[in-house]
Amino acid sequence: MSEVLVERPRDGVALVRINRPEARNALNGRVRVLLAEAFTDLAKDADVRAIVVTGDQNAFAAGADIKEMAGVGAADMLLRQAHLLWQAIAACPKPVIAAVNGFALGGGCELAMHADIIIAGEGAQFGQPEIRVGIMPGAGGTQRLTRAVGKFKAMMMILTGKPVSAREADAMGLVSQVVPDAEVLDTALKTAETIAAMPPVAVMQIKEVLLAGMDAPLSTGLMLERKAFQLLFDTRDQKEGMQAFIEKRKPKYEGR
């Protein structure tokens, strides 16, 4: 069976599942390639409007595969161009929801932070323990984590390598919602289903503008927001949405 499974559990929703339970879903090279391929394909699929990425009940992804990395040299690591595989997820124009049970450590935590929404189980743990094996985060951990929780929380997590609980992660702004462990996937799928029912062009514009504006001056972010807002008035979905509101009926969005 493939190490990454892609399912279509609900209308407009794709589920990407990491399938290495024997290794706590550690992200080896094969898994990263398969994740990149899955997200590249789903980004182009007009029938997919939201994506959920998950592992299993015991682990979302417990970091990189250390056995695969232990003997690698700097030049070999450079030539792997692993950042291009991560970019396929980061550049996905559709909303990505991480459904996290158990361990989300190292690359697993970085994968979760590539998502737009994180639903965590009460027993989930988030951490960047790379320092404990002589390295540091290399797929956005120092940058995305700092932007999510601030310098002082990020420094504590990365320099000590100690994980935080789901409740701690929620308090520091690292996750969107904490639910009972047994409800994580269903909550993520329901959230994705809700988003999938929204006008797709507006959804993608919101994601694009929000992410681009995070690292831009406020004036630039507001300009991007204003232009995207104006452009949406040329979509069929805007006309349908407002007409449905006036007529007090459920809108039917086409993604145009």
Side-chain angles (χ1 to χ4, degrees):
M1 187 175 290
S2 176
E3 292 173 314
V4 172
L5 306 175
V6 179
E7 306 163 26
R8 306 294 180 94
R10 303 188 184 186
D11 189 34
V13 176
L15 174 62
V16 178
R17 192 190 300 270
I18 303 169
N19 184 41
R20 291 191 76 208
E22 75 288 350
R24 296 194 302 183
N25 296 323
L27 303 174
N28 63 6
R30 181 62 179 161
V31 168
R32 294 181 191 187
V33 168
L34 291 173
L35 282 173
E37 290 176 351
F39 274 88
T40 298
D41 290 343
L42 294 172
K44 296 182 289 187
D45 189 334
D47 292 330
V48 174
R49 297 185 177 185
I51 302 167
V52 175
V53 59
T54 194
D56 57 34
Q57 284 293 317
N58 298 314
F60 176 72
D65 193 321
I66 301 300
K67 292 180 181 178
E68 188 180 73
M69 298 172 63
V72 175
D76 289 334
M77 188 60 70
L78 174 67
L79 293 172
R80 286 185 179 188
Q81 298 285 288
H83 67 283
L84 297 179
L85 301 177
W86 287 102
Q87 184 61 23
I89 305 171
C92 182
K94 299 171 184 181
V96 178
I97 300 170
V100 180
N101 281 107
F103 298 109
L105 305 177
C109 187
E110 290 170 320
L111 175 59
M113 290 190 291
H114 275 69
D116 304 300
I117 294 171
I118 301 176
I119 308 296
E122 291 175 338
Q125 294 185 53
F126 297 82
Q128 299 288 166
E130 289 89 346
I131 195 166
R132 296 187 176 189
V133 293
I135 56 171
M136 62 177 282
T142 64
Q143 302 305 306
R144 286 190 171 88
L145 185 61
T146 303
R147 284 162 172 75
V149 307
K151 168 190 169 182
F152 300 106
K153 293 290 187 182
M155 284 286 194
M156 177 68 82
M157 288 178 65
I158 297 170
L159 290 177
T160 66
K162 293 181 179 179
V164 297
S165 70
R167 291 296 178 188
E168 291 174 301
D170 186 30
M172 64 176 67
L174 182 55
V175 304
S176 308
Q177 186 178 1
V178 178
V179 300
D181 289 335
E183 298 176 14
V184 171
L185 183 56
D186 189 56
T187 301
L189 290 172
K190 285 180 179 177
T191 303
E193 192 173 35
T194 297
I195 295 170
M198 300 298 175
V201 179
V203 168
M204 289 190 289
Q205 284 292 287
I206 288 168
K207 174 171 178 172
E208 182 178 22
V209 169
L210 195 154
L211 293 179
M214 285 175 62
D215 294 324
L218 177 59
S219 58
T220 300
L222 290 171
M223 181 271 290
L224 293 171
E225 177 186 85
R226 185 169 63 250
K227 293 300 182 185
F229 171 79
Q230 293 163 352
L231 286 172
L232 289 174
F233 280 81
D234 251 359
T235 64
R236 292 184 190 177
D237 284 348
Q238 175 266 326
K239 302 297 185 289
E240 167 64 11
M242 292 192 174
Q243 193 61 37
F245 179 84
I246 292 169
E247 296 173 1
K248 297 182 179 180
R249 60 174 173 82
K250 187 177 180 179
K252 295 180 181 179
Y253 294 123
E254 302 176 7
R256 299 183 180 181

